[in-house]
Amino acid sequence: MADTKDRILDAAEALFADRGLFETSMRAITRAADVNLAAANYHFGSKEALIQAVFARRAEALNNRRLEALADSRARGALDLEAVLDAYIRPALEMARDEKAGRYIRLLGRVYTDPNSRAGQFLPRQYDATLEAFKPEFIRLLPQIDKTELYWRLHFLIGSLVYCMAGLDMMRLSSSCYLCDPADTEGMIRRLIAFVAGGLRAAASAVQPPIQPAVTG
Amino acid sequence: MADTKDRILDAAEALFADRGLFETSMRAITRAADVNLAAANYHFGSKEALIQAVFARRAEALNNRRLEALADSRARGALDLEAVLDAYIRPALEMARDEKAGRYIRLLGRVYTDPNSRAGQFLPRQYDATLEAFKPEFIRLLPQIDKTELYWRLHFLIGSLVYCMAGLDMMRLSSSCYLCDPADTEGMIRRLIAFVAGGLRAAASAVQPPIQPAVTG
DNA sequence: GTCTATAACTAGATAGAC
DNA sequence: GTCTATCTAGTTATAGAC
C-alpha cells in the first residue's frame, strides 16, 4: 500500500496524462487517489507545486537510465551512431511500456510541445544536461555535418521521439497506419533509430544555403 | 475592419495558441476581441463550437496548399522524394511565418500531441485525406521499404514536422541550440526535408525483426 | 495527518431589455 | 445583433475541529 503522498502523485500523473494539466482538477485527483482534498494541499501546498512534484519524481530516473546506457555502451567499446541513439531513445520508450511510469512518458510527450504550459519552464532544466552529455558523441560520430546543421537535426530527432512518447493513440491520425502496431515497443525503437540515424547521416550538401543569404527581414 | 465573428475567431486563435484551449476562457477571448461575452455565445453557441470553428477555418487552406504544391510539382515532372516532402512540409512551415495564420500553425502543433483534447477528435478527419493523397508517392518513390516500415517512418516524419510547427520557442529546450535561428524558415524547411529524406531512405535492413517474434504479451 | 465546511473566485451559458 | 445582469456549477485554497 502506497502512502497518501504517493497515491496523490500516482493519481495526478495518470489524470494529467489522460486529460492535461489544466483540465485536471485537484478534486478529480483526490477523488481518484481516495484522499481528502485538504490533504493534498497539506502535502503539496498548491496544484502548481503538485505538478512540479509529478515531473520531478521521474525525471532523474529517466536521465540516469540514459546516462547509464551511454556509459555501458562506451564500456563495451561499441559506440557507433546507432548505439548512441539507442542509449537516448530506448530508456524513454521502454519506460513508456511500464504501467505506471508509462503515464509519465505520455504526459512528458504531451507537455513537450507546450511551451506556455507551466511545465515548459522547468522541463529544460530537467533534461538539458543529459542532452548535453550526448552531444559530444554526435559531434564525434558526424564530423562531416556542421554544428548548426547538426543541432537542427537533433531538434528533429527530439520531435520524432516526443511524438512517439506522446502516444501511440495518435497513430489513428492516419487511418493507413493500421499496419503499425503501437504495442511493438522493440520494433518502434529499432525503426526510430534507423530513421533518425538515416536523417542524421544525410548528406549535408542536401541543404543549400537560403536563397537570400542574410539580408532577409 | 473585421466583423464580430472574425474578431472572435482571431482572438480565440491567438489565445489558444499562446495558452492552450482549456486555459483560455471565453471571457479572455471576448475581452481581447473587444466583443461582448454574450455575443460570442450568440455567434458560436458554445466554447466547444468556437474551438471547432477556429480549426475548421484554416484546415482547408492548408490542405489545399499542400495538394496544389504536389500537383504543381507533378506537372513539372520533377517528382522526386525531396519534391514530395517539400509539397507536404513547406505549406505548413511557410504558413507559420504568416502573422495571423502562424498562430494556427503553432496551435496545431500543440494539440497534435494531445490525443485527449477535444481537437484530437476532429483533426484526423481534417488532415487524413491529404496525407492519403501523398502516400502513393512515398510508396512509389521508396519501393524497397516495406509498407509497415514506411508507415512508421511517416509517423516519425510527422513528429518532426509537428515539433517544428509547435514552436521554435521550444529550441530553448536545449541551450546548445543557440546556433539554430528559428526565424530562418527557408533553412528550417530545407534542413527538415534533408533530414526526413535521409530517414525515409535509410536501409530497411537496419531494422531487425523483434527478438521475440510474436509470442510477446 | 486527516477531516468538514466554507471562503473567494472563476467558469460557461442564458434570460431578457434594447 | 448587442448589451447587462445573473444563474449554476465548478475551481483553488484554507480555517479550524479532531
Side-chain angles (χ1 to χ4, degrees):
Chain A
M1 259 303 187
D3 71 337
T4 302
K5 221 169 159 172
D6 281 329
R7 286 219 312 282
I8 295 171
L9 284 170
D10 286 342
E13 187 176 63
L15 287 168
F16 288 158
D18 279 350
R19 305 180 191 175
L21 301 179
F22 202 88
E23 294 90 329
T24 302
S25 68
M26 292 293 281
R27 285 183 153 81
I29 294 167
T30 52
R31 207 180 309 128
D34 197 24
V35 161
N36 189 274
L37 171 64
N41 278 305
Y42 168 80
H43 283 290
F44 294 98
S46 70
K47 181 180 177 179
E48 182 63 33
L50 171 58
I51 291 173
Q52 297 219 25
V54 165
F55 280 90
R57 179 168 65 148
R58 307 237 189 245
E60 202 187 334
L62 178 52
N63 278 323
N64 286 342
R65 284 173 68 170
R66 280 174 161 159
L67 294 171
E68 281 163 20
L70 187 66
D72 286 354
S73 273
R74 207 181 266 136
R76 283 198 301 275
L79 212 51
D80 60 358
L81 182 57
E82 275 75 9
V84 174
L85 289 171
D86 195 280
Y88 193 75
I89 289 170
R90 181 175 295 275
L93 295 184
E94 284 198 339
M95 210 186 257
R97 197 165 38 182
D98 182 87
E99 196 199 326
K100 300 191 92 177
R103 296 184 188 120
Y104 166 73
I105 296 293
R106 266 185 9 251
L107 172 58
L108 189 56
R110 289 182 50 155
V111 299
Y112 234 79
T113 47
D114 199 340
N116 305 97
S117 148
R118 293 138 218 72
Q121 287 151 27
F122 51 84
L123 280 183
R125 278 202 303 278
Q126 291 179 352
Y127 288 103
D128 216 21
T130 297
L131 184 57
E132 288 301 317
F134 276 75
K135 210 168 291 176
E137 299 296 343
F138 288 118
I139 293 171
R140 183 180 60 78
L141 288 160
L142 298 160
Q144 75 280 17
I145 312 293
D146 85 54
K147 277 201 180 177
T148 304
E149 181 81 25
L150 178 61
Y151 292 164
W152 275 105
R153 291 182 179 188
L154 293 182
H155 187 66
F156 304 145
L157 179 172
I158 291 172
S160 301
L161 174 59
V162 164
Y163 198 60
C164 286
M165 289 163 59
L168 299 317
D169 325 317
M170 313 271 349
M171 307 220 50
R172 299 163 308 158
L173 261 185
S174 173
S175 60
S176 63
C177 284
Y178 64 95
L179 285 175
C180 304
D181 175 14
D184 177 15
T185 305
E186 185 61 34
M188 179 169 64
I189 292 171
R190 293 186 185 193
R191 290 187 172 100
L192 180 55
I193 290 172
F195 177 83
V196 298
L200 289 170
R201 285 200 186 99
S205 63
V207 178
Q208 295 118 23
I211 299 167
Q212 298 285 349
V215 202
T216 329
Chain B
M1 255 306 187
D3 72 335
T4 302
K5 223 168 157 175
D6 280 329
R7 286 220 311 281
I8 295 170
L9 285 170
D10 286 342
E13 186 176 65
L15 286 168
F16 288 158
D18 278 351
R19 306 181 191 173
L21 302 179
F22 203 89
E23 293 90 331
T24 301
S25 68
M26 291 294 282
R27 286 182 157 81
I29 293 167
T30 52
R31 207 181 308 127
D34 198 24
V35 160
N36 190 275
L37 171 64
N41 278 306
Y42 168 80
H43 282 290
F44 294 97
S46 70
K47 181 180 178 180
E48 181 64 32
L50 171 58
I51 291 174
Q52 297 219 26
V54 166
F55 280 90
R57 181 169 66 148
R58 306 233 190 248
E60 203 187 334
L62 178 53
N63 278 323
N64 286 343
R65 284 173 67 171
R66 280 174 162 159
L67 293 172
E68 282 163 20
L70 186 65
D72 286 355
S73 273
R74 207 180 266 136
R76 281 197 302 276
L79 211 54
D80 62 357
L81 182 57
E82 274 76 9
V84 174
L85 290 171
D86 195 278
Y88 193 76
I89 289 171
R90 181 176 294 276
L93 295 184
E94 285 197 340
M95 210 186 257
R97 197 165 37 182
D98 181 87
E99 196 199 327
K100 302 190 91 177
R103 295 183 190 121
Y104 166 72
I105 295 293
R106 268 189 1 254
L107 172 57
L108 190 56
R110 289 182 49 155
V111 299
Y112 234 79
T113 47
D114 199 339
N116 306 96
S117 149
R118 291 138 218 75
Q121 287 149 30
F122 51 83
L123 280 182
R125 278 202 304 277
Q126 291 180 351
Y127 288 103
D128 217 20
T130 296
L131 183 57
E132 288 301 318
F134 276 75
K135 211 169 290 177
E137 300 295 344
F138 288 118
I139 292 173
R140 184 180 59 79
L141 288 159
L142 298 160
Q144 76 281 16
I145 312 293
D146 84 55
K147 278 200 180 177
T148 303
E149 181 81 24
L150 178 60
Y151 293 164
W152 274 106
R153 290 182 180 187
L154 293 181
H155 187 67
F156 304 146
L157 181 172
I158 291 172
S160 300
L161 174 59
V162 164
Y163 198 60
C164 286
M165 290 163 60
L168 297 318
D169 325 317
M170 314 271 348
M171 306 220 49
R172 299 164 306 158
L173 262 185
S174 174
S175 61
S176 62
C177 284
Y178 64 95
L179 285 174
C180 304
D181 175 14
D184 177 16
T185 305
E186 185 60 35
M188 180 170 62
I189 292 171
R190 293 185 185 195
R191 290 187 173 100
L192 179 55
I193 290 172
F195 178 83
V196 297
L200 289 170
R201 284 200 186 99
S205 63
V207 178
Q208 295 118 22
I211 299 168
Q212 298 284 347
V215 203
T216 329

